[in-house]
Amino acid sequence: MKVAAALEARPLPADTRMRHLRAYRSMARTGLKSLLAYQTSFLFGMLASTFGALSMLYLWRSVLSAGPRHGFDWPQMKAYLLVAFVAGSLVSSYTDYRMANRIKQGDVAIDLVRPVDYQWSRFAESLGVAAYEAGTAVVVALGAAALLGGVPLPDPDTFGLFVVSALLVFPLRFGIVYMSGLLVFWTQNYVGLQAARIALITLFSGALVPLVFLPEWIQVASAYLPFAGMASTPALLYSGSLGGGAAATAVLVQAVWSAGLWLLARGMWSAACRKLTIHGG
Amino acid sequence: MPTHRPEPRRRSDVDFSASVVGLASAKVHDGSVTLIQAIGLRKVFRKPDKAPGIRGSLRHLVQRRYSEHVAVDSIDLSIAEGEAVAYVGPNGAGKSTTVKMLSGILVPTAGQVHVDGLVPHRARVENARRVGVVFGQRTQLWWDLPVRESLELLRDMHGIDRSRYQERLERFDSVLGLGDLLPVTARKLSLGQRMRADLAAALLHEPRVVYLDEPTIGLDISVKDRVRSFVRQLVSEGTTVMLTTHDLSDIEEICQRIIIIDEGRLVYDGNLQAVKDTHVRERTMSFELEDSLLGADQIAARLPGARVHLESNGRELAVTFDRMTLGARQVLSAVLAEVEIVDMHIDEPAIESVVRKVYAGQLQAEHGGATNSEPMR
């Protein structure tokens, strides 16, 4: 009996990895399916942000008709804003909202007795959802591009970096969104947190206004904060406004923050578990 | 004097209880594998002390005061493999908190806990592979998905291979009628259907230990019966079961051992029959008499300490007595010495009256009161 228990406690690593891989793949699929159950509300959300993006585009078109500003001409700005729009649509509709509700209502107790890691599980679910979010956002962006007379192709010199940068948007956004969801362990309420988180990201990521248009201190701060990597960096790389050493540094900052946020979130989770109180049975 | 002896209608024999106690306590102490072990388990929740109204809320922002609430206060538990234990107590006694510490959901404030050799809150994932948890008030199922997809996801999480999974599904179909529920989206299930699906979800991976936290809450009789017989079957197969419930029939039908807690403290831990013997000493024998009797004084005189009650029709007699001072045989012969009887039965003490005593604070006095709230800055 004892020997059997010891063997169970340490299964072969390869076996465990396979099981985990299958589990997280299924969870990614589940995330997507759960989103599809609320497809209408998702699409309405997408419609709202599309209108927001369109009005920004028209505003910038009229501003830039007088000539380029801070190195942005109209076609570059179009590309910048549309890439930022797609980036901003990731991990925006499911992860934090669902997490916050489950924490608030105590259903997180169930998540704690599942044989999978909580953070990787949310990551997998968010990835499944992000596939759908990205797909929809790209369609919308292409539609908008057609409406506005086309968008230049990405700068070939920085295209490789752009791809890496675009892929890093997901772990960055996940990190911030996941941690804002975890804060519900302390606040027991999410409405205010979500609003604050959205405001923070929108300003510091340069999603609406490129960072060069903002005051000096914001530019300096955002060079070191994780937010620029969530919209500005890939958008600048696409539009060719960022090159050379600065481009490589910006992508490196993204990568470092992706790992850093992951570890920070780990620490936050273990603090949250010690803090956890389950109300109502 | 009576000329014939009636066949007594007895639900249990007076002397039978002693042998059951002996057997069950042997099982606990015979060196069988201890699966759940807790020593000095304690959980303290901190809650904000807010004065009412906006003023109170604002003051709380500046000057934070908390009071501590001791939900579980130094509990020791030792549960052997294959045991079925009822964990009972009034609302807020700390039952669910204990179960949540044993299942790794909550981190204990102090004390040690080991389940199947693991510390549950440290080895959460590994622990979750070996235990199953059913919360009557929460669901394991993915709310927006058909039951089948929830189960498939759990299959992948636990790494159950497909043929084993099929066998499990067939098993659940035969005992829980799961088949009809598989295509239904979880949020459309009735409470009874949901509980059946939830049991399947919690037991899919054949856990060695199962915690059932109020599994029959809100269910109708037929679903309750189904759930109970399913759990009985689990126990007979050697699964260790810890059951939290307010439904005393659950306990009597499933468990041999009962642990009673109140205000976070262990009040009683022992054999179910023994607790009845210790705390439910009164039993009642009821007789149907051949001829109507005018008074029962003579019977009462033969049975000092017992309460004798005669119905106004003179044909029904009830004798309530302390089983430790009087035996059923003595009562029977005292009655037979005076009247002829047609029929009789003994009302066995129900566990309900024990728990009611705990709820009413009667048992607590024997163990000293617990201080539950200590103000703290």
Side-chain angles (χ1 to χ4, degrees), chain A residues 19 26 38 105 114 279 281, chain B residues 100 138 140 144 156-157:
Chain A
R19 179 175 68 81
S26 293
Y38 298 100
Q105 289 165 8
R114 302 234 197 260
H279 298 285
Chain B
K100 288 191 180 99
R138 303 188 190 285
Q140 314 238 359
D144 306 312
D156 292 344
M157 282 186 182

Side-chain angles (χ1 to χ4, degrees), chain A residues 109-154:
Chain A
I110 299 283
D111 299 327
L112 286 169
V113 288
R114 302 234 197 260
V116 282
D117 179 74
Y118 186 82
Q119 194 165 324
W120 275 116
S121 301
R122 304 293 83 77
F123 187 83
E125 281 170 1
S126 304
L127 198 61
V129 172
Y132 189 75
E133 290 170 327
T136 318
V138 166
V139 170
V140 170
L142 289 175
L147 195 69
L148 294 164
V151 162
L153 289 171

Side-chain angles (χ1 to χ4, degrees), chain A residues 43-259:
Chain A
L43 290 176
F44 271 105
M46 190 55 103
L47 197 66
S49 51
T50 303
F51 281 123
L54 274 179
S55 61
M56 277 324 276
L57 281 162
Y58 283 117
L59 179 72
W60 279 110
R61 185 167 73 171
S62 83
V63 169
L64 295 175
S65 61
R69 292 202 174 202
H70 290 289
F72 277 96
D73 57 17
W74 168 231
Q76 271 180 317
M77 186 57 93
K78 254 195 297 195
Y80 178 95
L81 289 173
L82 288 175
V83 172
F85 169 76
V86 175
S89 72
L90 296 176
V91 206
S92 63
S93 46
Y94 177 85
T95 308
D96 54 342
Y97 179 73
R98 192 179 139 95
M99 264 174 71
N101 267 335
R102 290 182 70 80
I103 293 167
K104 198 169 139 189
Q105 289 165 8
D107 291 331
V108 69
I110 299 283
D111 299 327
L112 286 169
V113 288
R114 302 234 197 260
V116 282
D117 179 74
Y118 186 82
Q119 194 165 324
W120 275 116
S121 301
R122 304 293 83 77
F123 187 83
E125 281 170 1
S126 304
L127 198 61
V129 172
Y132 189 75
E133 290 170 327
T136 318
V138 166
V139 170
V140 170
L142 289 175
L147 195 69
L148 294 164
V151 162
L153 289 171
D155 189 320
D157 295 341
T158 52
F159 184 72
L161 274 176
F162 163 72
V163 172
V164 176
S165 172
L167 290 174
L168 283 170
V169 170
F170 175 75
L172 283 173
R173 283 194 61 97
F174 173 77
I176 295 289
V177 170
Y178 176 79
M179 283 200 279
S180 70
L182 283 188
L183 279 176
V184 178
F185 276 109
W186 287 270
T187 64
Q188 295 298 319
N189 194 346
Y190 191 57
V191 181
L193 282 177
Q194 191 182 31
R197 193 255 296 157
I198 291 172
L200 209 63
I201 293 182
T202 309
L203 179 65
F204 284 96
S205 72
L208 290 183
V209 181
L211 293 166
V212 283
F213 288 81
L214 296 176
E216 181 76 21
W217 68 270
I218 292 186
Q219 291 183 47
V220 173
S222 54
Y224 298 101
L225 289 174
F227 304 106
M230 296 161 72
S232 176
T233 307
L236 289 175
L237 285 168
Y238 183 97
S239 60
S241 313
L242 201 61
T249 309
V251 174
L252 189 68
V253 168
Q254 274 187 301
V256 169
W257 268 117
S258 296

Side-chain angles (χ1 to χ4, degrees), chain A residues 1 5 8-11 15-16 19-20 22-23 26-27 29-30 33-34 37-38 94 98 102 105-110 112-117 121 125 269 273-281, chain B residues 33 43 45-46 81 96 100 103-107 116 118 124-131 133 135 137-145 149 152-160 162 187 208 213:
Chain A
M1 185 55 74
E8 267 174 26
R10 275 186 295 272
D15 176 48
T16 313
R19 179 175 68 81
H20 284 174
R22 207 176 316 133
S26 293
M27 258 179 278
R29 222 179 298 133
T30 304
K33 280 182 201 154
S34 299
Y38 298 100
Y94 177 85
R98 192 179 139 95
R102 290 182 70 80
Q105 289 165 8
D107 291 331
V108 69
I110 299 283
L112 286 169
V113 288
R114 302 234 197 260
V116 282
D117 179 74
S121 301
E125 281 170 1
W269 169 248
C273 284
R274 286 193 294 277
K275 154 92 196 156
L276 173 64
T277 310
I278 306 275
H279 298 285
Chain B
V33 185
K43 183 70 187 180
F45 292 118
R46 203 175 70 149
E81 181 161 27
S96 286
K100 288 191 180 99
S103 53
I105 294 166
L106 292 177
V107 180
D116 199 5
L118 296 172
R124 270 207 185 91
V125 171
E126 189 50 42
N127 180 64
R129 298 189 66 188
R130 303 181 192 180
V131 308
V133 190
F135 292 109
Q137 305 185 59
R138 303 188 190 285
T139 182
Q140 314 238 359
L141 305 168
W142 277 259
W143 209 230
D144 306 312
L145 300 182
E149 290 186 21
E152 282 171 0
L153 189 48
L154 284 166
R155 174 197 68 195
D156 292 344
M157 282 186 182
H158 285 289
I160 303 167
R162 272 155 206 273
R187 71 179 119 82
R208 295 182 73 186
D213 193 355

